[in-house]
């Protein structure tokens, strides 16, 4: 142990320079156009095999190809020694590998639905925003449910308009309707804006509006043929009466698709924060007064929404094992982790002291 500590005192320092990138493009490239003598000197070590470059975006750090990294990706990746796939990419890969339908928890959800009422509900944000969910995932889940011979599947469409254009919801409704027609399976049951269905600020009057649309069918009745027309009518209203996708009050497309006792529910969002209230209301206990609480529901979630939730998770969290910090700790080598150090121009006048937070 003493030898390991003594060896570590040779001082290895890993510095992550947030936002520093390497590109031959000069237009709009501050780094390429700046004088960077220190980094240039370090780069000269390449000929001695002491310098290399790393990919820090896209699939190399577990996010979609062509997408730049961010702080969350960095926190999740640095020191893991492997690609740590974000939920969006993990789900995308399972679809492209045709492995989604065989995931054990999803198979269990289908089996449960068939053994109980034969009615399966998919609930979540339907768009290609990619922040909370993705319409590709819904389509793949529907195909898997059909393949598994689940008798009936209903879709409860949470309209976006926040991670996508405010009145783009009609495009996603049209795409989903075309997909259901080609698949010859699945029914669009309700549509509600995310302002109500995905509230995260304990404004339970919003969650209640969505809940009672899902369970009691409270909302404006429409048909599959005039749903898009009705949305466009709401877009065209003026003042406070106007409703864009995010603020769309419940539209009931299929009365038979409301949630009933002993039905099976799958929440399709991979991001947790805006799913917790509606999942709690349907799977545990509503935090508001209502006279319609379905009994014996089987609830499944795409990812882990909350540690205390008892619901089976289709894509559980994968905590990296034997990361750099864990390995160093196992070797009893002391470590100091700091973040966000800011050096004032006059900091040389007094000693700079950093300590673990």
């Amino acid at each position: 142990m003493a030898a390991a500590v003594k060896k570590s005192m040779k001082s290895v320092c890993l510095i992550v320079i947030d936002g520093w990138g390497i590109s031959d493009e000069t237009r709009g490239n501050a780094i390429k156009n700046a004088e960077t003598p220190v980094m240039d000197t370090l780069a000269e070590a390449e000929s001695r095999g002491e310098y290399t470059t790393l990919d820090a975006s896209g699939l190399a750090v577990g996010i979609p190809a062509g997408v730049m990294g961010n702080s969350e990706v960095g926190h999740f990746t640095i020191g893991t020694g492997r690609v740590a796939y974000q939920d969006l990419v993990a789900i995308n890969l399972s679809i492209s590998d045709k492995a989604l339908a065989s995931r054990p928890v999803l198979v269990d959800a289908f089996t449960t639905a068939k053994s109980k009422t034969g009615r399966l509900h998919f609930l979540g944000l339907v768009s290609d925003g990619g922040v909370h969910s993705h319409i590709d995932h819904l389509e793949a889940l529907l195909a898997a449910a059909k393949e598994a011979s689940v008798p009936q599947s209903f879709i409860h469409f949470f309209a976006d308009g926040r991670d996508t254009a405010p009145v783009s919801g009609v495009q996603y409704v049209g795409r989903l309707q075309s997909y259901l027609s080609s698949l010859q399976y699945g029914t669009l049951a309700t549509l509600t804006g995310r302002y109500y269905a995905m509230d995260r600020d304990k404004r339970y009057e919003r969650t209640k509006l969505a809940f009672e649309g899902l369970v009691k069918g409270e909302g404006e009745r429409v048909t599959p043929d005039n749903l898009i027309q009705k949305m466009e009518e709401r877009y065209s209203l003026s003042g406070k009466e106007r409703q864009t996708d995010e603020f769309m009050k419940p539209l009931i497309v299929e009365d038979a698709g409301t949630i009933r006792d002993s039905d099976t529910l799958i929440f399709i969002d991979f991001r947790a924060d805006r799913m917790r209230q509606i999942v709690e209301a349907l799977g545990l206990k509503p935090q508001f007064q209502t006279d319609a609480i379905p009994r014996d529901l089987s609830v499944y979630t795409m990812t882990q929404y909350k540690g205390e939730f008892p619901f089976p998770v289709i894509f559980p969290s994968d905590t990296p094992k034997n990361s750099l910090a864990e390995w160093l700790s196992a070797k009893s080598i002391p470590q100091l982790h700091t973040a966000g150090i800011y050096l004032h121009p006059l900091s040389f006048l007094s000693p700079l002291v950093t300590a673990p937070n």
Side-chain angles (χ1 to χ4, degrees):
M1 176 177 172
V5 172
K6 184 176 180 181
K7 184 177 181 180
S8 73
M9 296 308 289
K10 292 182 178 179
S11 300
V12 175
C13 185
L14 171 64
I15 301 173
V16 179
I17 307 175
D18 197 3
W20 187 278
I22 300 173
S23 172
D24 292 329
E25 176 62 52
T26 57
R27 186 172 183 271
N29 187 342
I31 294 171
K32 187 71 173 179
N33 286 286
E35 293 185 8
T36 56
V38 173
M39 298 300 287
D40 292 345
T41 300
L42 292 173
E44 290 172 0
E46 182 174 14
S47 62
R48 303 192 299 272
E50 299 172 358
Y51 174 89
T52 189
T53 59
L54 298 172
D55 287 334
S57 65
L59 291 173
V61 289
I63 55 180
V67 177
M68 64 181 179
N70 55 37
S71 295
E72 180 183 1
V73 172
H75 297 159
F76 196 63
T77 300
I78 294 169
T80 60
R82 73 213 77 181
V83 178
Y85 291 113
Q86 300 289 303
D87 290 328
L88 172 60
V89 177
I91 298 168
N92 288 347
L93 290 174
S94 78
I95 293 171
S96 62
D97 293 345
K98 301 188 185 306
L100 175 66
S102 60
R103 293 193 71 86
V105 173
L106 187 60
V107 171
D108 182 67
F110 294 158
T111 301
T112 299
K114 289 189 291 184
S115 67
K116 296 175 76 174
T117 63
R119 294 162 49 86
L120 177 64
H121 301 264
F122 293 105
L123 308 90
L125 195 68
V126 183
S127 77
D128 59 2
V131 177
H132 292 267
S133 67
H134 202 290
I135 189 172
D136 290 353
H137 302 170
L138 174 60
E139 292 176 350
L141 288 165
L142 284 162
K146 180 184 179 182
E147 183 181 353
S149 300
V150 178
Q152 291 180 290
S153 282
F154 300 100
I155 300 99
H156 300 277
F157 188 118
F158 299 167
D160 196 342
R162 186 162 178 169
D163 300 321
T164 56
V167 294
S168 60
V170 292
Q171 300 173 22
Y172 303 112
V173 169
R175 170 176 164 174
L176 179 61
Q177 288 180 324
S178 295
Y179 181 76
L180 296 177
S181 177
S182 64
L183 188 64
Q184 295 188 323
Y185 179 80
T187 301
L188 178 54
T190 67
L191 183 146
T192 308
R194 59 181 286 173
Y195 179 79
Y196 303 103
M198 295 170 57
D199 180 71
R200 66 179 178 187
D201 299 320
K202 298 183 179 180
R203 299 184 179 180
Y204 294 114
E205 69 279 5
R206 299 178 187 175
T207 307
K208 179 178 180 179
L209 189 83
F211 177 94
E212 297 197 330
L214 297 169
V215 173
K216 299 172 66 175
E218 289 192 356
E220 185 174 0
R221 293 309 191 270
V222 295
T223 67
D225 294 334
N226 72 4
L227 172 58
I228 288 178
Q229 177 186 345
K230 176 55 62 177
M231 293 174 69
E232 290 174 335
E233 288 176 3
R234 292 186 176 185
Y235 294 161
S236 65
L237 295 174
S238 59
K240 294 182 179 180
E241 297 299 317
R242 185 172 187 248
Q243 296 178 28
T244 55
D245 296 330
E246 181 180 359
F247 305 100
M248 198 71 62
K249 291 185 177 179
L251 291 166
I252 311 304
V253 188
E254 176 57 67
D255 282 311
T258 54
I259 298 169
R260 302 174 181 174
D261 291 350
S262 302
D263 282 353
T264 302
L265 281 57
I266 295 178
F267 289 86
I268 68 170
D269 285 26
F270 54 77
R271 178 167 158 176
D273 57 343
R274 291 191 176 274
M275 283 283 97
R276 292 178 184 133
Q277 285 180 204
I278 193 68
V279 170
E280 179 184 38
L282 286 163
L284 297 174
K285 180 181 179 181
Q287 298 296 320
F288 47 81
Q289 292 296 318
T290 179
D291 59 0
I293 302 177
R295 299 179 180 179
D296 189 35
L297 295 179
S298 298
V299 175
Y300 296 79
T301 63
M302 192 67 113
T303 58
Q304 180 69 63
Y305 292 163
K306 191 174 182 180
E308 294 79 9
F309 281 176
F311 315 120
V313 177
I314 299 170
F315 287 87
S317 299
D318 183 16
T319 303
K321 300 295 184 183
N322 201 34
S323 65
L324 177 60
E326 183 180 351
W327 185 88
L328 290 170
S329 178
K331 300 294 182 181
S332 300
I333 298 175
Q335 305 170 62
L336 171 66
H337 298 252
T338 64
I341 298 175
Y342 170 70
L343 300 182
H344 189 277
L346 300 181
S347 61
F348 66 89
L349 294 177
S350 60
L352 173 64
V353 179
T354 60
N357 195 353

